[in-house]
Amino acid sequence: MSRGEIIDGKGMAAEIRLELKEKTETLVQQGVRPGLAVVLVGEDSASQTYVRGKIKACNEVGVYSELIQLPEDTSEKALLARIDQLNQDQSIHGILVQLPLPAQISPDRVIAAIDPEKDVDGFHPIQAGRLLTGLDAYLPCTPHGILRMLKRSGIALEGKHAVVVGRSNIVGKPVSLLLQRENATVTMCHSRTRELSSYTRQADILVAAVGRYHMIGAEHVKEGAVVIDVGMNRSPEGKLAGDVDFEAVRPLVSHITPVPGGVGPMTIAMLLYNTVQSAQRVASLT
C-alpha cells in the first residue's frame, strides 16, 4: 500500500469544470445559459476571496454570473426583497448568499427565502429533508465534493468505517448521510467528544470538519486510513492550514487531502455542477 498519496482536489476540480463547460455549451445551443447570482453583504475579506474564486470559475465554464454586493448595514428586509427578485428572475438558475452575514440578518431566514429549485448551495430545509430521506436534491457542495474525491481516487466506501469530526449543517451532518448512502458505517464526533482519538483511530476514512487548526494529529489516525481535511484555518504564522497536521499525519495514511488545493476547489466545482443541473431542469421544461 502506498503511503501519503495526495488527493489532488485542484486537478479533479479542473476536470469537472471541463465536463461542465461542455454541458453549458450544449445548454446555450438549446437557448438556456446557466446563471448564478452571488450575493455578498459587507466587507469580510475571506468572503470576498471566496466570491472572487466562484465568479472566476463561472467564467471558465461559461456560466453567467451576477455579483450583488450590498453594504454591511443592509437590513434583513432589504436582503430578503433582493432574494425575492432573484427568485423571479428567469435568467438566474442558482442563488448563493455568501456566509457569514452581518449580525442583524438571520442566515436561517435568508436560506429559507431562497427558491428551493435555485438553492444550489443545498442548504434550504427542503433540500436538507430530501437528502435525509434519500430523494433527489441539490447536494451541499462540500460534502458532494468530498464524495466525488473519494470515488475518483478509487477509494471503496462500502463496509468501511467512516468517522466524521464536526456536526455542522453545511458539512458534518450531510457528509455523514452521503457516506451512509454509500454503505459506509459512520461515527459522528465533534469538538466536545471525550477521548476523540479513541474514535478517530478506528476510522478507515476520517473527515475532519471542525474548524480548529491542527486539531487532528498523528495520534488521531490509524495506519493506512484515508484523511479528508475540510478545515480552513490560519496558522500562528498566518498561513492557510487545515484541521489536520498534514506533515505529521501524511506518513501514516494511504491518502490525504492538502490545504489548500484539496476540498476547496471541489466545493466550487460542485456549486457549478448544481447550477448547471438547475439550468438543465429548466431546459427540459421548455
Side-chain angles (χ1 to χ4, degrees):
M1 178 187 295
S2 62
R3 292 289 171 154
E5 182 176 335
I6 292 176
I7 300 176
D8 180 14
K10 187 176 180 180
M12 290 182 186
E15 293 172 1
I16 291 171
R17 289 197 302 272
L18 282 175
E19 296 166 8
L20 292 174
K21 187 175 182 180
E22 292 179 5
K23 291 180 179 180
T24 299
E25 289 170 352
T26 299
L27 282 166
V28 170
Q29 290 170 5
Q30 296 171 4
V32 177
R33 185 183 182 191
L36 174 68
V38 181
V39 182
L40 177 61
V41 184
E43 305 294 332
D44 183 81
S45 59
S47 292
Q48 290 176 336
T49 299
Y50 296 148
V51 165
R52 282 196 297 270
K54 290 165 184 174
I55 297 298
K56 180 181 177 183
C58 283
N59 294 335
E60 189 176 330
V61 303
V63 169
Y64 164 69
S65 61
E66 183 175 333
L67 174 58
I68 298 157
Q69 295 183 281
L70 301 173
E72 184 80 24
D73 61 356
T74 297
S75 69
E76 181 177 281
K77 183 178 179 181
L79 177 55
L80 293 176
R82 192 69 183 91
I83 290 171
D84 186 56
Q85 291 174 356
L86 294 170
N87 284 340
Q88 308 306 320
D89 189 340
Q90 294 185 1
S91 71
I92 297 298
H93 303 96
I95 301 170
L96 180 152
V97 178
Q98 184 65 46
L99 302 176
L101 290 165
Q104 74 274 13
I105 300 174
S106 163
D108 291 338
R109 289 198 193 98
V110 169
I111 291 167
I114 297 171
D115 181 346
E117 297 300 329
K118 295 187 177 186
D119 170 39
V120 289
D121 255 338
F123 294 165
H124 194 285
I126 287 177
Q127 297 293 354
R130 293 179 71 84
L131 171 61
L132 179 64
T133 54
L135 299 174
D136 286 338
Y138 294 129
L139 300 179
C141 301
T142 298
H144 191 189
I146 291 169
L147 192 64
R148 289 288 192 96
M149 295 173 86
L150 291 168
K151 289 188 172 184
R152 284 186 175 235
S153 299
I155 295 166
L157 300 175
E158 183 168 348
K160 296 295 182 67
H161 183 192
V163 176
V164 178
V165 185
R167 53 184 169 178
S168 72
N169 293 332
I170 294 173
V171 181
K173 291 175 184 175
V175 81
S176 72
L177 292 171
L178 291 179
L179 289 167
Q180 287 177 67
R181 271 195 192 181
E182 300 296 323
N183 297 316
T185 298
V186 180
T187 298
M188 288 195 70
C189 301
H190 45 79
S191 60
R192 298 185 185 182
T193 299
R194 296 180 180 178
E195 298 181 10
L196 180 64
S197 63
S198 68
Y199 298 97
T200 58
R201 286 182 65 87
Q202 299 178 45
D204 302 308
I205 300 162
L206 176 62
V207 180
V210 75
R212 290 192 181 181
Y213 170 71
H214 283 191
M215 183 175 176
I216 302 298
E219 71 276 15
H220 291 94
V221 300
K222 76 173 181 180
E223 290 198 15
V226 175
V227 175
I228 305 293
D229 190 353
V230 186
M232 295 285 279
N233 313 294
R234 292 287 174 182
S235 71
E237 298 75 34
K239 293 183 178 179
L240 194 62
D243 289 354
V244 177
D245 185 344
F246 183 86
E247 297 301 331
V249 168
R250 184 183 179 188
L252 301 173
V253 300
S254 64
H255 297 78
I256 188 169
T257 59
V259 177
V263 173
M266 287 294 289
T267 296
I268 295 177
M270 294 300 99
L271 172 68
L272 297 176
Y273 176 89
N274 284 348
T275 302
V276 171
Q277 191 178 38
S278 177
Q280 287 175 321
R281 180 188 58 81
V282 170
S284 69
L285 298 174
T286 56

